[in-house]
Amino acid sequence: MNETLRRSLLYVPAVDPAVLAKAPSRGADVLVVDLEDALHPDAKDEARAGLASLWPGLLAASGEREVFLRVNGADTPWHDADLAVAAALRPAAVVLPKCEDPGSVSAAHQRLGGIPLMLMVETARGVLAAAELARVDGVAGLVFGAADFRKSVRARASADELELLLARSGVVLAARAAGIEAFDTPWFDYRDPSGLKASAERARGLGFDGKTAIHPGQLAQLHQTFAPSADEVARAERVITAIEEAALRGRGVATVDGELVEALHAVEARRILARRAAALRRDPAAPRSG
Ligand code: GLV
Ligand code: MG
C-alpha cells in the first residue's frame, strides 16, 4: 500500500527569500508557499515575480518533500497572474483558496495542465458545495480554513472549536466520498502547544489526514498526532493476525481485545501499518512509541 504522508502542511509567505530558503529545513511534510493571505496586497506582484528564481533552490532543498503553491482566489485581481506562474513552476499541487464554484475550479484545472489541486473550503458556500467541489477533475484534496470560515459565518472562536464541527465534518465527508484527502485548519495561537494538541487530536478523530500549520514549532505535534501511535500499530497487527487465522478456519470474524472484528477492520489495520511505515521512512530517527 502506497500511503502519502501529509501530516503537516506549513504555510510560508512567498515574500521573504531568507525565510523561504530556510523553510525546507523545518521538516514539514509539505511546504505551502503562500501568495494569498499572508501577503499584503502591495507585496503580491513582487513576491510572484521573485518566485521563478527561488523555486529551483526550494525544490532542491526539499528533496522528497512536496512543495505546494497557494495562489490568490478566483475573484481577486491576482488570480490569473498567479495561475500563470503556477503553470510554469509546476508545484506538486496548487492550493486554491475560498473555493465555492466547481466551474471556476474546473477552469483553473484546465489552465494548470494537470497539476493537482488542493481546494480550500473555508466559507459558508464552500462548505455547502464541498461534495461537488471534491469531485471536480484534478482535485486531490480539500483543506479547511477556520479563519475565513469563522468570518464567513460570523462565528466566535472557542477553545473547543465547537463552532467548526459541522464544517470540518462536512469537509471530511466530501473528501472521503470523492476518494481524496482532507487537511485541517491551522491552530493560530502558535504559542499554545496544548491548544494545538487538542485541535490536532480533534481533527484526527474526525478523519483528517493532516493539518496545516503557521509556525515550524507546530510540526512535531502534527507529526505525532497524524501518524499511528505504537498502541494503534500493535492493535493493527493483532487485528490482521486474528482475521488471517479466522480465515484459515473458514470464519469471517475474530475477537481482538474482547471486541468483535471483521475483514473491514483488517483493511483499516493495513492502512495504519502502511502509514506507520511511511512515517518511519520519512523520520527514521523518530521514536517508535508515540
Ligand atoms: C486559512 O486560510 C484560514 O482561513 O483559516
Ligand atoms: Mg483562508
Side-chain angles (χ1 to χ4, degrees), residues 30-57:
V30 178
L31 285 183
V32 183
V33 176
D34 190 15
L35 289 168
E36 202 220 11
D37 282 352
L39 268 66
H40 189 277
D42 295 346
K44 297 207 191 236
D45 290 337
E46 196 183 328
R48 185 191 316 107
L51 274 183
S53 61
L54 297 170
W55 200 260

Side-chain angles (χ1 to χ4, degrees), residues 11 36-37 70 97-98 120-122 144-149 186 188:
Y11 289 114
E36 202 220 11
D37 282 352
R70 181 164 82 163
K98 301 177 183 61
M120 297 207 63
V121 172
E122 50 182 348
F144 181 57
D148 274 302
F149 176 74
F188 291 96

Side-chain angles (χ1 to χ4, degrees), residues 201 204 224-240 268-273 276 290:
E201 293 290 338
R204 167 108 197 262
Q224 184 182 326
T225 301
F226 289 96
S229 68
D231 285 351
E232 285 174 298
V233 170
R235 182 174 158 92
E237 283 165 347
R238 289 198 295 282
V239 168
I240 291 167
E268 177 59 6
R270 288 200 182 88
R271 196 186 70 80
I272 287 174
L273 295 190
R276 179 64 167 173

Side-chain angles (χ1 to χ4, degrees), residues 32-243:
V32 183
V33 176
D34 190 15
L35 289 168
E36 202 220 11
D37 282 352
L39 268 66
H40 189 277
D42 295 346
K44 297 207 191 236
D45 290 337
E46 196 183 328
R48 185 191 316 107
L51 274 183
S53 61
L54 297 170
W55 200 260
L58 200 56
L59 285 194
S62 296
E64 285 188 355
R65 293 173 200 236
E66 297 169 302
V67 184
F68 294 177
L69 180 64
R70 181 164 82 163
V71 298
N72 288 282
D75 59 346
T76 69
W78 308 288
H79 185 66
D80 277 349
D82 287 0
L83 286 188
V85 162
L89 298 179
R90 303 201 67 80
V94 169
V95 180
L96 292 181
K98 301 177 183 61
C99 294
E100 297 182 338
D101 170 29
S104 76
V105 172
S106 222
H109 176 58
Q110 313 257 314
R111 283 200 53 192
L112 289 169
I115 301 172
L117 298 178
M118 297 285 171
L119 306 189
M120 297 207 63
V121 172
E122 50 182 348
T123 61
R125 282 192 182 155
V127 172
L128 293 176
E132 296 132 74
L133 291 167
R135 286 204 181 85
V136 175
D137 255 8
V139 174
L142 300 183
V143 185
F144 181 57
D148 274 302
F149 176 74
R150 287 191 180 104
K151 170 173 169 262
S152 164
V153 301
R154 303 181 193 159
R156 247 191 198 167
S158 69
D160 62 8
E161 302 179 303
L162 214 55
E163 73 283 6
L164 306 181
L165 179 58
L166 187 69
R168 274 169 149 174
S169 295
V171 167
V172 172
L173 278 174
R176 294 290 171 253
I180 61 173
E181 291 189 297
F183 304 103
D184 190 39
T185 181
W187 181 254
F188 291 96
D189 185 347
Y190 57 87
R191 293 153 308 179
D192 174 21
S194 59
L196 171 70
K197 180 169 189 208
S199 177
E201 293 290 338
R202 277 192 286 273
R204 167 108 197 262
L206 290 172
F208 283 97
D209 300 292
K211 190 168 173 66
T212 48
I214 48 151
H215 192 279
Q218 300 181 318
L219 300 176
Q221 180 64 60
L222 302 190
H223 293 171
Q224 184 182 326
T225 301
F226 289 96
S229 68
D231 285 351
E232 285 174 298
V233 170
R235 182 174 158 92
E237 283 165 347
R238 289 198 295 282
V239 168
I240 291 167
T241 306
I243 288 292

